[in-house]
Amino acid sequence: MEFSLFLALLVFVMISAVISVTLRDVLSAIIALAGFSFGAAVVYVLLRAPDVALTEAAVGAGATTVLFLVTIVKTVRPAGERVFERIRWGPAALALAFLGTISLTIPSIPRVGAPDSAVVAGDVTRYYLEMATPETGVENVVTAVLAAYRGFDTLGEAVVVIAAGMAVLLVLRREVYV
Amino acid sequence: MIELLASHYTYLTAMVILAVGLYGVVASPNLVKKIVALNVFQVGIFLFFISSAFVLDGVPAIGTHGPGPYVSPLPHVLILTAIVVGVSLTAVGLALVVRIYDGYGSLNEQVIREVQADD
């Protein structure tokens, strides 16, 4: 039951990705992107990553959509009679060549959910799972790694967010935009 | 071939999403849609990482006293950071798009090139 739901979701995510990229109307594309993002968040839930799913749903499907909507309010929304863009064969050939090249690596990737794959069975993962709660006192290992073991990484993330905020303010510094 | 499809379905989905995103970035003439496609591409990478952390019949690594098996927390942490950084990049990109529209009066790549050539 859960597996067929999972496959249906993966198909939904792929189709909504294609739709959001090929829709001609920008507002429709943004709405399709929000749906795509939310589908991806549900896929993360089924892959047992609740923290990532929450962030993706709030930030990916929520905040990003708001940013896009503000942008099209400030700019234009090109109108057209066609619902979808015409397919451009040059870029399509490029994308297919890219897909062909990276899918050559599939046979060397461990199968989905393999308990002996390098990520799951690796020393780092095992150390975090055993020691994170005793060493930091945090029950959620993801939070413990985020805030304690990789705290500098999270500090760097905060620096990136502040730098991005400053860049946005600098680029749009005239009163017209504020 | 079919066995590979059946055992690597999430990786294959991630790769298809990457290809769709790449197509959008190259093919869309509209700058906002290029950034939409960039977001699609990004989710492909996230899905690849989260798939690599998954264990069949695993549980999230919260309260690790039970028998497990637990999914790996490390890719989850990396992707949490990546999502926030991705939104920051989207914000900067969209701010530049607003500024470009202010300068050139269009969001179409072709039109912007022509205006640049005229100047």
Side-chain angles (χ1 to χ4, degrees):
Chain A
M1 168 57 202
E2 192 192 295
F3 185 70
S4 48
L5 175 73
F6 188 40
L7 285 188
L9 258 172
L10 289 179
V11 172
F12 167 79
V13 165
M14 280 191 275
I15 290 176
S16 58
V18 172
I19 288 176
S20 67
V21 162
T22 52
L23 271 176
R24 186 170 175 76
D25 182 30
V26 180
L27 178 62
S28 316
I30 292 166
I31 295 169
L33 181 73
F36 165 73
S37 224
F38 192 72
V42 181
V43 169
Y44 299 156
V45 171
L46 293 180
L47 287 173
R48 306 291 185 269
D51 311 76
V52 183
L54 277 176
T55 313
E56 176 73 33
V59 175
T64 309
T65 310
V66 173
L67 288 174
F68 275 113
L69 290 179
V70 169
T71 307
I72 60 166
V73 167
K74 304 247 183 235
T75 61
V76 278
R77 182 180 148 202
E81 65 289 350
R82 303 169 64 86
V83 178
F84 291 101
E85 295 278 8
R86 202 178 280 116
I87 293 176
R88 289 172 62 185
W89 296 108
L94 175 77
L96 279 179
F98 174 74
L99 179 62
T101 311
I102 55 173
S103 55
L104 288 180
T105 62
I106 283 188
S108 39
I109 300 173
R111 67 187 166 75
V112 175
D116 54 348
S117 71
V119 175
V120 176
D123 292 340
V124 181
T125 294
R126 280 216 314 264
Y127 180 84
Y128 283 153
L129 286 177
E130 279 167 27
M131 302 304 291
T133 306
E135 280 186 349
T136 63
V138 181
E139 286 286 317
N140 186 341
V141 179
V142 174
T143 312
V145 176
L146 190 76
Y149 296 103
R150 296 186 68 91
F152 275 117
D153 197 8
T154 308
L155 178 68
E157 174 192 335
V159 171
V160 168
V161 173
I162 291 174
M166 280 161 55
V168 170
L169 288 179
L170 276 176
V171 169
L172 306 176
R173 67 184 177 282
R174 292 184 0 204
E175 289 90 13
V176 191
Y177 299 112
V178 188
Chain B
M1 185 65 200
I2 298 297
E3 303 92 82
L4 276 182
L5 268 180
S7 60
H8 293 79
Y9 44 95
T10 52
Y11 296 108
L12 202 75
T13 310
M15 286 168 181
V16 169
I17 292 172
L18 287 176
V20 170
L22 180 70
Y23 170 81
V25 170
V26 179
S28 304
N30 184 296
L31 294 181
V32 176
K33 290 202 55 199
K34 274 187 198 294
I35 298 183
V36 167
L38 211 57
N39 273 278
V40 170
F41 191 91
Q42 189 173 267
V43 169
I45 295 169
F46 297 165
L47 186 57
F48 187 88
F49 269 70
I50 301 297
S51 311
S52 75
F54 181 60
V55 189
L56 220 58
D57 302 319
V59 289
I62 300 172
T64 49
H65 313 293
Y70 295 103
V71 297
S72 174
L74 187 57
H76 296 184
V77 176
L78 298 178
I79 296 309
L80 276 178
T81 309
I83 289 175
V84 176
V85 170
V87 173
S88 311
L89 290 178
T90 305
V92 175
L94 289 174
L96 289 171
V97 164
V98 171
R99 200 55 199 258
I100 286 170
Y101 179 71
D102 189 44
Y104 292 95
S106 171
L107 289 180
N108 189 299
E109 203 181 21
Q110 228 62 47
V111 177
I112 292 171
R113 276 216 193 102
E114 280 162 22
V115 175
Q116 271 180 332
D118 288 345
D119 287 344

